[in-house]
Amino acid sequence: MSSRTRARGLKSAAGVHTVRIPRQRGRRSAQPFVIVVPEQPSLTREAAGWAGRMLWRHRGALAPTGLAVFALAAAGVLHATEPWTGLVLAVLAAGPAVWVLLMQHRRPGTGSALAWRIGLAALATVGGGWFAAAAGFGPLTGPLGLLWLLIWGTAQTVWLIVRRTH
């Protein structure tokens, strides 16, 4: 049996690594060494796996969190590459307010429908204004970091409430 052939039919158990050390030169009669090392995952790997499974299981409930983290990263990239985009985004931040006015003109709402429209438009306007300011000045400049945290917390809370009631 040459030193390049491997044993056939040898299947290692799950979580076990098999290390084969080939025959040494000059020793034709000696058999190769086989070392079996059981895999013991570290505590960090176990914790990361648990956190990943929890995030995946509750991914629908955490949609605003993902959007907020993406907006923070995107604002940082925009600020680093093209800070003038804050001016363009500032104009677009008024879009939700225009939406409320158009909706009230086309389908007038009263009571809770009007309150939800105004509340969601206000949250979207503040979020858009934050994104414009963060793209222009930097996402963590001055009170923008705290404002991001407040917008994220409000959006996540509203999202969880709406998901519970519907």
Side-chain angles (χ1 to χ4, degrees):
M1 177 189 226
S2 77
S3 63
R4 294 191 183 260
T5 60
R6 298 185 184 216
R8 295 175 195 236
L10 179 65
K11 293 184 180 179
S12 60
V16 174
H17 295 291
T18 303
V19 179
R20 289 183 178 83
I21 301 173
R23 257 184 264 193
Q24 302 299 312
R25 292 183 189 200
R27 296 184 159 203
R28 294 196 180 260
S29 63
Q31 294 295 320
F33 291 96
V34 176
I35 301 171
V36 178
V37 182
E39 179 183 343
Q40 295 177 348
S42 67
L43 186 59
T44 304
R45 180 174 171 203
E46 289 288 329
W50 177 84
R53 285 187 299 274
M54 286 296 114
L55 287 173
W56 182 253
R57 186 175 298 144
H58 300 291
R59 65 188 178 274
L62 296 173
T65 300
L67 185 62
V69 170
F70 175 75
L72 185 69
V77 169
L78 280 175
H79 173 68
T81 57
E82 304 291 334
W84 58 269
T85 56
L87 297 172
V88 175
L89 293 171
V91 174
L92 296 176
V98 173
W99 174 80
V100 167
L101 292 175
L102 287 174
M103 283 301 290
Q104 277 303 105
H105 180 68
R106 290 183 184 167
R107 290 182 163 191
T110 58
S112 65
L114 181 61
W116 274 104
R117 285 180 188 174
I118 292 172
L120 290 176
L123 185 62
T125 301
V126 170
W130 174 87
F131 192 66
F137 301 114
L140 300 176
T141 303
L144 289 177
L146 179 62
L147 186 60
W148 176 83
L149 194 63
L150 290 173
I151 293 169
W152 164 74
T154 304
Q156 184 66 49
T157 303
V158 168
W159 180 261
L160 291 175
I161 290 171
V162 169
R163 281 179 51 106
R164 250 324 153 203
T165 59
H166 286 76

